[in-house]
Amino acid sequence: MTNTKESPQTHFRSRLDIPNGQVDLSHGGGGRAMAQLIEDLFRHHLDNPLLRQGNDQALFGPVRGRLVMSTDGHVISPLFFHGGNIGSLAVHGTINDVAMAGARPLYLAAGFILEEGLPLADLERIVIAMAEASRAAGVPIVTGDTKVVERGKADGCFITTTGVGEVPEGIHISGELAAPGDAVLVSGSLGDHGIAILSRRENLGFGTDLQSDSAALHGLVADMIAAVPDIHCLRDPTRGGMAATLNELAAQSGVGMLIREAAIPLKPEVRGACELLGLDPLHIANEGKLIAICPAERAATLLAAMRAHPLGQESAIIGEVTQDPQRLIELETPFGGRRLLDWLSGEQLPRIC
Amino acid sequence: MKFVDEYRDSALARDLARAILAEARPDRDYRLMEFCGGHTHAIFRYGVQDLMPENLRFVHGPGCPVCVLPMARIDQAIAMASQHGVTLCTYGDLMRVPASERQSLLKAKAAGADIRMVYSTQDALAIARAATQQQPAQQVVFFAIGFETTTPPTAVALKTARAEGLRNFSVFCNHVLTPPALRAILSDSADEVARIDGILGPSHVSTIIGSAAYEFVARDHGLPLVIAGFEPLDVMQSALMLVRQINQGRRDLQNQYSRAVSPEGNTKAQALMRDTLVPRERFEWRGLGWLPESALKIADAYADWDAEQRFPVAVTPGREHEGCECPKVLRGLMEPTDCKLFGRVCSPENPLGACMVSSEGACAAYWLHGRSRIPQRTASASAT
Ligand code: SF4
């Protein structure tokens, strides 16, 4: 998108052959091919006034609140899955990281690393998904970068997205603010994204129509802070799932937690797939859910606000923050026994027997 | 998930817990060994020990195929991949198991060996088929491991490879048999034997070999054994059955998992295994040493698909970490928390012994699910 001196009005002799073409090294070479890729594909779909400036950076006016900024690299296999693709994921993921500070996301930047041989049609699907996601969220992609690497050096396409947003006055949400007695809430069923992705991997022996939950959560967050401005923590349980997120928050805040396993929303498909593969759904990634921690007396109000939003209909209060110098997350099993919910060690792997 | 929920009903669990409490005599204690890692997993995953009376304790046995695989076999697999340049396909659990010289399959992969994680023998066959098109010289080895449960798919893979004439595929066979391992634990020399009052017997394994395979436990060793399913309610019901037997002085083979296990097992699968695999004279088990007739190797008719014959490597005995107490943990002689390395230098991030790697290993189960109770545990944990 940037790194080219071609003006946005450049006309090329022939159009980019998107249905049949592939990314090749010339698309990252800084010459005419690259300019055409940017023009016909990226600018065409992502079009907005700031991107149209055509500079190596986006220049925008002053913002009011405190600024937040977040960046995230997206490497995912397969690139396309039920409920989205790497493009929509890259937009949602960064919007969510910005929103978890209670912020209103304003702008996104996107960096692409493309592998030689990637079909242009696939790239277009990805860019269209990004355009749709950013338009639906009202957060434009205002600058970007494209590089092409040789075949075998990337998994088709890597995308890094950076987002900036502003935090409204009086809002202070951070991972170290969980206090003993606080309530822990989750905005819906867990593990949908991870299982949707796994089911697309070959030879896994199970099929499911389960959709990824990939979604931009800033609207939900806005409703939540309107109802309960003193939310203590917000975080989206992406990689490592709910287990990793709760452990992170406990470590940051120096507290423990007691979670009631029976209260955690889980879809039957997710439970079934986890049974089959010997995985724990609480370790599985989500892309459209959040965990909230707030004072216990505000929990019912917060829950009502979450359930009133389309992305929070299945919200639930799942447990409470405890005083624990060891910072352990304890899970009360449906049986009434207890177990620890720990970080995952390495990658979660299927059991053999 | 109806079929799963039935076995995880919390009201039923409370009823069973009450029944066990009522049945357990206060003047004695009950040490029940769960043979399988699947049981260990369920006990920790659902906090089943919490629902048991104080005087009933689960003792963890050797029933995790990853934990009992000796280091030398991992060394051998790494050597196949690095010396012979084969593509080594293996189940994920094996990737982080410590090998000699601080190696593991994961580290060998990072260093450039072609090691791939697969979910089934079919994946490995597919990789081999694809290679015949693209790189005909590439050899694909499936690192087969597991008890009798995972053996039939290996047998099928061997048959498929022969039927298709797949010359670039072979199997590194590490399948082991559960009855000899159980016999070995129960026949340990007197000072080494863990005090066990009853055994939760293998369930998935028994679907293949049948419950009758464990009759020797009652007959030769005078212990009650209940074939127990892996669901938490199965484990609890089996514990109740064992407590009853113990109280009545009975020593019977009982089958709690009758919904899947018959006395004779799956005769078709057995025939398949007999066709392709034969007993090894002896095989080394981590923690139990060399046990006679305790593992399978590839039958002569399938020698062309035997990776051990095709890619011979010099094997030296693997060097275990000196302080690792896996051998004692696997025989129920010691609780993981009694190992000096537990939680200090040995954790799932940096496993020094195999029991800390697999989610079914006793050390990993203690670390992942039971760490919060360690002070009490260590206080009450006596080995023998
Ligand atoms: S804690 Fe580690 S070193 Fe000790 S017995 Fe368990 S696996 Fe072996």
Side-chain angles (χ1 to χ4, degrees):
Chain A
M1 272 171 277
T2 57
N3 300 340
T4 169
K5 301 295 171 237
E6 302 276 359
S7 86
Q9 286 79 36
T10 309
H11 290 293
F12 299 97
R13 238 168 293 149
S14 60
R15 285 198 55 81
L16 193 63
D17 184 7
I18 291 177
N20 305 305
Q22 291 184 332
V23 170
D24 62 47
L25 291 174
S26 74
H27 288 121
R32 190 176 299 278
M34 180 165 147
Q36 187 177 17
L37 180 76
I38 290 165
E39 182 60 34
D40 286 3
L41 214 150
F42 290 108
R43 264 201 210 117
H44 175 71
H45 291 295
L46 299 174
D47 186 51
N48 63 64
L50 286 179
L51 189 66
R52 227 174 290 136
Q53 290 169 353
N55 292 315
D56 281 357
Q57 70 293 116
L59 185 69
F60 44 76
V63 293
R64 272 161 295 147
R66 288 162 298 151
L67 279 177
V68 294
M69 181 169 172
S70 179
T71 190
D72 203 355
H74 300 272
V75 294
I76 185 165
S77 170
L79 296 174
F80 301 92
F81 47 85
H82 282 305
N85 63 44
I86 187 172
S88 48
L89 193 68
V91 168
H92 293 152
T94 297
I95 287 179
N96 292 347
D97 285 345
V98 168
M100 293 306 131
R104 190 166 73 88
L106 297 170
Y107 303 111
L108 294 174
F112 294 81
I113 296 184
L114 307 177
E115 184 183 1
E116 182 185 20
L118 176 73
L120 286 176
D122 283 358
L123 181 58
E124 185 177 48
R125 273 173 76 192
I126 291 167
V127 175
I128 288 173
M130 291 184 86
E132 283 169 356
S134 90
R135 231 161 258 141
V139 187
I141 296 169
V142 295
T143 185
D145 177 53
T146 307
K147 296 283 185 310
V148 177
V149 295
E150 282 167 33
R151 196 182 280 274
K153 292 200 170 164
D155 224 347
C157 171
F158 298 151
I159 304 177
T160 297
T161 36
T162 301
V164 290
E166 59 182 9
V167 186
E169 274 311 316
I171 297 300
H172 189 45
I173 294 173
S174 176
E176 79 272 1
L177 297 177
D182 280 0
V184 183
L185 296 89
V186 61
S187 68
S189 63
L190 294 176
D192 302 4
H193 174 73
I195 295 299
I197 296 281
L198 265 181
S199 73
R200 289 303 301 268
R201 299 231 174 116
E202 282 166 47
N203 294 325
L204 221 65
F206 77 97
T208 165
D209 290 332
L210 188 71
Q211 300 255 329
S212 162
D213 59 354
S214 181
L217 296 171
H218 58 312
L220 173 63
V221 170
D223 287 2
M224 289 167 69
I225 57 179
V228 178
D230 57 340
I231 294 171
H232 287 163
C233 315
L234 283 178
R235 192 152 297 174
D236 54 337
T238 52
R239 227 175 352 156
M242 191 180 92
T245 298
L246 293 182
N247 275 289
E248 273 168 33
L249 294 171
Q252 265 183 285
S253 294
V255 295
M257 291 181 205
L258 178 62
I259 304 295
R260 284 180 306 282
E261 201 173 355
I264 301 171
L266 284 178
K267 289 207 170 79
E269 299 95 304
V270 171
R271 291 179 55 189
C274 285
E275 273 308 311
L276 203 66
L277 300 171
L279 306 175
D280 185 340
L282 305 185
H283 284 128
I284 299 211
N286 310 278
E287 288 293 344
K289 299 289 154 45
L290 58 78
I291 305 270
I293 295 179
C294 76
E297 63 277 13
R298 316 279 284 137
T301 313
L302 187 59
L303 182 68
M306 290 166 77
R307 286 194 173 160
H309 192 278
L311 292 177
Q313 284 166 2
E314 292 170 47
S315 296
I317 298 174
I318 57 169
E320 68 198 36
V321 177
T322 58
Q323 193 136 29
D324 177 7
Q326 280 186 280
R327 304 166 182 201
L328 297 175
I329 309 295
E330 280 210 273
L331 215 53
E332 192 184 282
T333 75
F335 274 36
R338 285 197 185 182
R339 68 166 168 122
L340 270 193
L341 183 61
D342 205 356
W343 305 86
L344 193 61
S345 308
E347 207 183 333
Q348 187 164 230
L349 306 167
R351 295 200 303 270
I352 288 179
C353 192
Chain B
M1 290 308 288
K2 185 82 175 69
F3 62 96
V4 165
D5 290 337
E6 282 166 12
Y7 303 109
R8 296 187 186 165
D9 185 304
S10 58
L12 273 176
R14 277 190 295 272
D15 288 350
L16 273 171
R18 267 194 294 273
I20 293 171
L21 186 65
E23 202 89 23
R25 292 205 329 244
D27 58 329
R28 62 158 298 157
D29 59 1
Y30 300 82
R31 291 173 57 85
L32 309 182
M33 175 179 266
E34 84 270 9
F35 181 88
C36 287
H39 296 135
T40 311
H41 186 78
I43 288 167
F44 281 94
R45 173 77 176 70
Y46 293 91
V48 173
Q49 180 76 65
D50 287 358
L51 305 178
M52 296 293 120
E54 278 292 309
N55 55 343
L56 187 154
R57 293 204 49 83
F58 291 108
V59 181
H60 316 298
C64 158
V66 175
C67 299
V68 295
L69 187 73
M71 204 175 241
R73 300 297 282 186
I74 311 261
D75 291 347
Q76 209 171 333
I78 292 175
M80 279 181 199
S82 49
Q83 289 168 22
H84 293 279
V86 305
T87 298
L88 188 77
C89 299
T90 181
Y91 293 131
D93 276 32
L94 278 180
M95 294 293 276
R96 294 185 303 123
V97 178
S100 300
E101 313 288 336
R102 294 174 168 260
Q103 273 285 350
S104 68
L105 292 170
L106 201 64
K107 287 182 184 157
K109 177 174 158 66
D114 187 1
I115 297 174
R116 304 194 197 168
M117 199 176 103
V118 293
Y119 291 89
S120 71
T121 50
Q122 291 305 315
D123 290 357
L125 283 169
I127 291 172
R129 283 188 204 108
T132 53
Q133 313 282 318
Q134 292 142 19
Q135 305 154 276
Q138 188 57 31
Q139 286 288 334
V140 176
V141 172
F142 177 66
F143 188 163
I145 162 183
F147 294 131
E148 292 90 335
T149 336
T150 49
T151 309
T154 301
V156 171
L158 286 167
K159 291 209 157 205
T160 310
R162 192 167 76 169
E164 290 181 17
L166 213 51
R167 293 271 152 199
N168 66 339
F169 176 82
S170 56
V171 172
F172 177 38
C173 184
N174 291 277
H175 287 295
V176 285
L177 305 169
T178 49
L182 200 47
R183 195 172 277 124
I185 291 176
L186 299 178
S187 332
D188 265 346
S189 61
D191 54 331
E192 277 277 58
V193 70
R195 210 208 87 209
I196 300 166
D197 302 305
I199 293 176
L200 296 160
S203 57
H204 289 185
V205 164
S206 302
T207 58
I208 307 289
I209 63 172
S211 56
Y214 298 97
E215 268 163 3
F216 72 91
V217 174
R219 189 185 59 231
D220 303 345
H221 303 279
L223 278 177
L225 180 142
V226 174
I227 304 284
F230 284 159
E231 290 297 334
L233 284 181
D234 292 330
V235 171
M236 292 179 71
Q237 196 184 26
S238 303
L240 178 61
M241 290 163 81
L242 282 172
V243 168
R244 277 196 185 136
Q245 282 209 42
I246 294 165
N247 286 352
Q248 295 165 3
R250 282 162 54 205
R251 41 198 65 172
D252 296 338
L253 167 72
Q254 280 183 302
N255 184 4
Q256 180 275 337
Y257 198 50
S258 54
R259 63 182 188 272
V261 171
S262 63
E264 68 283 1
N266 181 338
T267 46
K268 256 172 105 179
Q270 289 165 20
L272 200 62
M273 284 153 65
R274 264 196 311 274
D275 274 2
T276 49
L277 302 165
V278 291
R280 286 177 196 266
E281 244 169 67
R282 52 189 216 131
F283 191 75
E284 189 189 1
W285 289 56
R286 180 191 283 249
L288 305 180
W290 291 87
L291 302 181
E293 309 261 312
S294 65
L296 298 169
K297 65 178 181 187
I298 293 169
D300 285 345
Y302 289 85
D304 284 354
W305 289 272
D306 186 349
E308 274 177 276
Q309 300 200 23
R310 213 188 278 185
F311 309 107
V313 289
V315 203
T316 45
R319 290 201 37 208
E320 303 281 356
H321 192 285
E322 282 168 12
C324 174
E325 301 281 12
C326 282
K328 286 193 168 164
V329 170
L330 289 168
R331 282 182 294 169
L333 292 168
M334 196 185 227
E335 297 224 8
T337 42
D338 295 332
C339 171
K340 286 194 193 67
L341 304 175
F342 179 89
R344 295 198 176 86
V345 274
C346 183
S347 69
E349 275 67 43
N350 178 34
L352 296 181
C355 296
M356 193 56 104
V357 175
S358 161
S359 67
E360 313 214 326
C363 296
Y366 265 66
W367 178 257
L368 290 176
H369 297 316
R371 206 157 77 240
S372 53
R373 271 166 276 149
I374 282 169
Q376 299 96 286
R377 276 194 180 281
T378 28
S380 67
S382 63
T384 49

